[in-house]
Amino acid sequence: QLQLVESGGGLVQPGGSLRLSCEASGFSLRDYSVGWFRQAPGKEREGISFISAGDEDTFYTASVKGRFTITRDNARKTVSLQLNSLQPEDTGVYYCAADLNRGRLLLHRLLMSGDFTSWGQGTQVTVSS
């Protein structure tokens, strides 16, 4: 399993932006599909976005579509999640996860079930005035 490390979390005011990054220690994420998940206080973890290996297909849940953008930087061996127009309900711990599977239908199922193979420890995002 990969060891993933998230970075970029922090405290931001409503309407603000953050950029989260996910990096695999000692490895490139180029051949892995990567998902982003978040867990709000008192709630279950939810999958919010993925980028597929190979065709680089992306997906967003309705709660973040149009505000969050997932990208892959092969040169830097990272996958990032740009968070714009943040609201207090976006507060939570954000996790990245990686898997060798690819393809939209399968990855959507894995995102909804949380069954990615390798996980990071998470980074806290707090949206508050």
Side-chain angles (χ1 to χ4, degrees):
Q1 289 187 354
L2 298 177
Q3 288 188 332
L4 303 178
V5 179
E6 302 94 338
S7 61
L11 173 64
V12 63
Q13 293 185 342
S17 298
L18 287 172
R19 186 174 183 85
L20 308 182
S21 290
C22 176
E23 183 173 10
S25 178
F27 293 88
S28 171
L29 287 172
R30 183 175 58 186
D31 295 327
Y32 289 82
S33 299
V34 175
W36 282 94
F37 298 76
R38 67 184 180 186
Q39 186 165 21
K43 295 187 177 181
E44 293 187 355
R45 187 175 61 194
E46 62 168 336
I48 56 174
S49 179
F50 68 72
I51 184 166
S52 179
D55 63 6
E56 302 294 295
D57 191 17
T58 59
F59 170 82
Y60 306 91
T61 57
S63 60
V64 306
K65 191 173 184 178
R67 301 187 299 123
F68 293 6
T69 304
I70 189 170
T71 55
R72 187 191 299 273
D73 185 336
N74 285 327
R76 297 180 60 187
K77 304 177 182 180
T78 60
V79 171
S80 297
L81 187 68
Q82 178 69 37
L83 286 58
N84 295 331
S85 302
L86 284 162
Q87 299 302 318
E89 54 265 33
D90 295 314
T91 294
V93 179
Y94 283 68
Y95 301 88
C96 69
D99 199 278
L100 284 171
N101 283 297
R102 57 184 65 186
R104 190 175 187 85
L105 290 178
L106 177 56
L107 289 175
H108 184 269
R109 185 164 72 241
L110 295 178
L111 190 75
M112 294 300 106
S113 64
D115 286 330
F116 276 63
T117 302
S118 302
W119 290 80
Q121 295 299 307
T123 185
Q124 176 70 43
V125 172
T126 303
V127 185
S128 175
S129 56

